[in-house]
mmCIF file of all heavy atoms in Angstrom:
data_model
loop_
_atom_site.group_PDB
_atom_site.id
_atom_site.type_symbol
_atom_site.label_atom_id
_atom_site.label_comp_id
_atom_site.label_asym_id
_atom_site.label_seq_id
_atom_site.Cartn_x
_atom_site.Cartn_y
_atom_site.Cartn_z
ATOM 1 N N ASP A 88 -13.029 -0.561 -30.653
ATOM 2 C CA ASP A 88 -13.885 0.382 -31.373
ATOM 3 C C ASP A 88 -13.667 1.824 -30.929
ATOM 4 O O ASP A 88 -13.616 2.735 -31.754
ATOM 5 C CB ASP A 88 -15.370 0.018 -31.174
ATOM 6 C CG ASP A 88 -15.746 -1.262 -31.899
ATOM 7 O OD1 ASP A 88 -15.120 -1.559 -32.933
ATOM 8 O OD2 ASP A 88 -16.657 -1.962 -31.422
ATOM 9 N N ASP A 89 -13.551 2.036 -29.623
ATOM 10 C CA ASP A 89 -13.450 3.392 -29.087
ATOM 11 C C ASP A 89 -12.175 3.528 -28.265
ATOM 12 O O ASP A 89 -12.156 3.189 -27.081
ATOM 13 C CB ASP A 89 -14.674 3.708 -28.216
ATOM 14 C CG ASP A 89 -14.623 5.110 -27.624
ATOM 15 O OD1 ASP A 89 -13.799 5.924 -28.086
ATOM 16 O OD2 ASP A 89 -15.414 5.382 -26.689
ATOM 17 N N PRO A 90 -11.109 4.043 -28.859
ATOM 18 C CA PRO A 90 -9.854 4.188 -28.108
ATOM 19 C C PRO A 90 -10.011 5.028 -26.851
ATOM 20 O O PRO A 90 -9.311 4.811 -25.860
ATOM 21 C CB PRO A 90 -8.917 4.864 -29.122
ATOM 22 C CG PRO A 90 -9.459 4.477 -30.458
ATOM 23 C CD PRO A 90 -10.946 4.434 -30.275
ATOM 24 N N ASN A 91 -10.932 5.989 -26.870
ATOM 25 C CA ASN A 91 -11.108 6.846 -25.698
ATOM 26 C C ASN A 91 -11.575 6.069 -24.479
ATOM 27 O O ASN A 91 -11.410 6.527 -23.342
ATOM 28 C CB ASN A 91 -12.109 7.964 -26.008
ATOM 29 C CG ASN A 91 -11.532 8.995 -26.952
ATOM 30 O OD1 ASN A 91 -10.591 9.695 -26.623
ATOM 31 N ND2 ASN A 91 -12.086 9.069 -28.147
ATOM 32 N N SER A 92 -12.147 4.889 -24.684
ATOM 33 C CA SER A 92 -12.616 4.091 -23.556
ATOM 34 C C SER A 92 -11.468 3.563 -22.709
ATOM 35 O O SER A 92 -11.684 3.119 -21.583
ATOM 36 C CB SER A 92 -13.469 2.924 -24.056
ATOM 37 O OG SER A 92 -12.677 2.004 -24.804
ATOM 38 N N LEU A 93 -10.252 3.612 -23.247
ATOM 39 C CA LEU A 93 -9.082 3.107 -22.524
ATOM 40 C C LEU A 93 -8.219 4.220 -21.941
ATOM 41 O O LEU A 93 -7.216 3.944 -21.277
ATOM 42 C CB LEU A 93 -8.227 2.239 -23.452
ATOM 43 C CG LEU A 93 -8.896 0.991 -24.026
ATOM 44 C CD1 LEU A 93 -7.962 0.305 -25.010
ATOM 45 C CD2 LEU A 93 -9.308 0.031 -22.920
ATOM 46 N N LEU A 94 -8.586 5.466 -22.173
ATOM 47 C CA LEU A 94 -7.771 6.583 -21.699
ATOM 48 C C LEU A 94 -7.694 6.612 -20.175
ATOM 49 O O LEU A 94 -8.681 6.393 -19.482
ATOM 50 C CB LEU A 94 -8.342 7.914 -22.192
ATOM 51 C CG LEU A 94 -8.022 8.324 -23.622
ATOM 52 C CD1 LEU A 94 -8.708 9.638 -23.948
ATOM 53 C CD2 LEU A 94 -6.517 8.459 -23.820
ATOM 54 N N MET A 95 -6.517 6.920 -19.663
ATOM 55 C CA MET A 95 -6.320 7.135 -18.229
ATOM 56 C C MET A 95 -6.159 8.641 -18.005
ATOM 57 O O MET A 95 -5.380 9.295 -18.706
ATOM 58 C CB MET A 95 -5.071 6.423 -17.747
ATOM 59 C CG MET A 95 -5.124 4.920 -17.833
ATOM 60 S SD MET A 95 -5.962 4.146 -16.439
ATOM 61 C CE MET A 95 -4.817 4.478 -15.095
ATOM 62 N N ASP A 96 -6.885 9.176 -17.031
ATOM 63 C CA ASP A 96 -6.691 10.589 -16.726
ATOM 64 C C ASP A 96 -6.053 10.802 -15.354
ATOM 65 O O ASP A 96 -5.659 11.906 -15.005
ATOM 66 C CB ASP A 96 -8.008 11.364 -16.824
ATOM 67 C CG ASP A 96 -9.105 10.799 -15.926
ATOM 68 O OD1 ASP A 96 -8.814 9.864 -15.157
ATOM 69 O OD2 ASP A 96 -10.240 11.295 -16.003
ATOM 70 N N THR A 97 -5.959 9.745 -14.559
ATOM 71 C CA THR A 97 -5.209 9.790 -13.303
ATOM 72 C C THR A 97 -4.488 8.455 -13.188
ATOM 73 O O THR A 97 -4.478 7.663 -14.126
ATOM 74 C CB THR A 97 -6.132 9.981 -12.075
ATOM 75 O OG1 THR A 97 -6.724 8.728 -11.723
ATOM 76 C CG2 THR A 97 -7.231 10.997 -12.345
ATOM 77 N N PHE A 98 -3.907 8.205 -12.020
ATOM 78 C CA PHE A 98 -3.221 6.934 -11.828
ATOM 79 C C PHE A 98 -4.164 5.836 -11.349
ATOM 80 O O PHE A 98 -3.714 4.747 -10.978
ATOM 81 C CB PHE A 98 -2.059 7.086 -10.837
ATOM 82 C CG PHE A 98 -2.441 7.641 -9.487
ATOM 83 C CD1 PHE A 98 -2.914 6.803 -8.488
ATOM 84 C CD2 PHE A 98 -2.328 8.991 -9.215
ATOM 85 C CE1 PHE A 98 -3.264 7.303 -7.242
ATOM 86 C CE2 PHE A 98 -2.672 9.505 -7.970
ATOM 87 C CZ PHE A 98 -3.142 8.663 -6.993
ATOM 88 N N ILE A 99 -5.471 6.093 -11.370
ATOM 89 C CA ILE A 99 -6.468 5.100 -10.984
ATOM 90 C C ILE A 99 -7.458 4.950 -12.132
ATOM 91 O O ILE A 99 -7.954 5.950 -12.659
ATOM 92 C CB ILE A 99 -7.199 5.515 -9.692
ATOM 93 C CG1 ILE A 99 -6.197 5.548 -8.519
ATOM 94 C CG2 ILE A 99 -8.346 4.560 -9.373
ATOM 95 C CD1 ILE A 99 -6.787 5.997 -7.210
ATOM 96 N N PRO A 100 -7.765 3.724 -12.570
ATOM 97 C CA PRO A 100 -8.686 3.533 -13.696
ATOM 98 C C PRO A 100 -10.041 4.184 -13.453
ATOM 99 O O PRO A 100 -10.508 4.285 -12.310
ATOM 100 C CB PRO A 100 -8.822 2.000 -13.780
ATOM 101 C CG PRO A 100 -7.578 1.477 -13.153
ATOM 102 C CD PRO A 100 -7.224 2.442 -12.076
ATOM 103 N N SER A 101 -10.666 4.631 -14.524
ATOM 104 C CA SER A 101 -11.897 5.412 -14.405
ATOM 105 C C SER A 101 -13.063 4.626 -13.816
ATOM 106 O O SER A 101 -14.005 5.217 -13.290
ATOM 107 C CB SER A 101 -12.288 5.974 -15.773
ATOM 108 O OG SER A 101 -12.501 4.930 -16.695
ATOM 109 N N ASP A 102 -13.023 3.288 -13.890
ATOM 110 C CA ASP A 102 -14.120 2.499 -13.330
ATOM 111 C C ASP A 102 -13.793 1.937 -11.948
ATOM 112 O O ASP A 102 -14.469 1.049 -11.449
ATOM 113 C CB ASP A 102 -14.511 1.361 -14.278
ATOM 114 C CG ASP A 102 -13.333 0.494 -14.688
ATOM 115 O OD1 ASP A 102 -12.192 0.799 -14.273
ATOM 116 O OD2 ASP A 102 -13.542 -0.477 -15.443
ATOM 117 N N HIS A 103 -12.755 2.494 -11.321
ATOM 118 C CA HIS A 103 -12.333 2.064 -9.994
ATOM 119 C C HIS A 103 -13.079 2.875 -8.935
ATOM 120 O O HIS A 103 -13.365 4.053 -9.129
ATOM 121 C CB HIS A 103 -10.827 2.273 -9.855
ATOM 122 C CG HIS A 103 -10.190 1.565 -8.717
ATOM 123 N ND1 HIS A 103 -10.370 1.942 -7.408
ATOM 124 C CD2 HIS A 103 -9.357 0.487 -8.679
ATOM 125 C CE1 HIS A 103 -9.674 1.150 -6.618
ATOM 126 N NE2 HIS A 103 -9.055 0.254 -7.364
ATOM 127 N N TRP A 104 -13.367 2.258 -7.789
ATOM 128 C CA TRP A 104 -14.100 2.969 -6.733
ATOM 129 C C TRP A 104 -13.345 4.202 -6.218
ATOM 130 O O TRP A 104 -13.965 5.140 -5.702
ATOM 131 C CB TRP A 104 -14.406 2.036 -5.557
ATOM 132 C CG TRP A 104 -13.218 1.412 -4.880
ATOM 133 C CD1 TRP A 104 -12.683 0.198 -5.130
ATOM 134 C CD2 TRP A 104 -12.418 1.985 -3.832
ATOM 135 N NE1 TRP A 104 -11.597 -0.036 -4.324
ATOM 136 C CE2 TRP A 104 -11.424 1.041 -3.510
ATOM 137 C CE3 TRP A 104 -12.449 3.189 -3.133
ATOM 138 C CZ2 TRP A 104 -10.468 1.268 -2.520
ATOM 139 C CZ3 TRP A 104 -11.495 3.424 -2.146
ATOM 140 C CH2 TRP A 104 -10.523 2.476 -1.845
ATOM 141 N N ALA A 105 -12.019 4.223 -6.346
ATOM 142 C CA ALA A 105 -11.236 5.343 -5.814
ATOM 143 C C ALA A 105 -10.935 6.409 -6.861
ATOM 144 O O ALA A 105 -10.271 7.401 -6.559
ATOM 145 C CB ALA A 105 -9.927 4.826 -5.218
ATOM 146 N N HIS A 106 -11.432 6.236 -8.077
ATOM 147 C CA HIS A 106 -11.169 7.219 -9.126
ATOM 148 C C HIS A 106 -11.875 8.536 -8.815
ATOM 149 O O HIS A 106 -13.044 8.555 -8.417
ATOM 150 C CB HIS A 106 -11.639 6.699 -10.486
ATOM 151 C CG HIS A 106 -11.445 7.675 -11.604
ATOM 152 N ND1 HIS A 106 -12.449 8.535 -12.022
ATOM 153 C CD2 HIS A 106 -10.367 7.950 -12.380
ATOM 154 C CE1 HIS A 106 -11.998 9.270 -13.017
ATOM 155 N NE2 HIS A 106 -10.741 8.939 -13.235
ATOM 156 N N ALA A 107 -11.166 9.633 -9.000
ATOM 157 C CA ALA A 107 -11.721 10.960 -8.726
ATOM 158 C C ALA A 107 -12.169 11.621 -10.025
ATOM 159 O O ALA A 107 -11.394 11.733 -10.973
ATOM 160 C CB ALA A 107 -10.689 11.838 -8.029
ATOM 161 N N ALA A 108 -13.405 12.028 -10.054
ATOM 162 C CA ALA A 108 -13.916 12.762 -11.215
ATOM 163 C C ALA A 108 -13.496 14.229 -11.104
ATOM 164 O O ALA A 108 -13.221 14.743 -10.027
ATOM 165 C CB ALA A 108 -15.436 12.649 -11.269
ATOM 166 N N GLY A 109 -13.426 14.882 -12.251
ATOM 167 C CA GLY A 109 -13.188 16.317 -12.263
ATOM 168 C C GLY A 109 -11.746 16.749 -12.122
ATOM 169 O O GLY A 109 -11.479 17.931 -11.887
ATOM 170 N N VAL A 110 -10.787 15.814 -12.264
ATOM 171 C CA VAL A 110 -9.386 16.233 -12.219
ATOM 172 C C VAL A 110 -9.027 16.943 -13.514
ATOM 173 O O VAL A 110 -9.719 16.825 -14.526
ATOM 174 C CB VAL A 110 -8.448 15.024 -12.002
ATOM 175 C CG1 VAL A 110 -8.759 14.333 -10.685
ATOM 176 C CG2 VAL A 110 -8.554 14.051 -13.154
#
Side-chain angles (χ1 to χ4, degrees):
D88 290 331
D89 180 14
N91 288 295
S92 66
L93 299 175
L94 280 178
M95 295 277 292
D96 56 5
T97 80
F98 56 85
I99 296 178
S101 60
D102 53 358
H103 195 288
W104 59 265
H106 178 265
V110 299

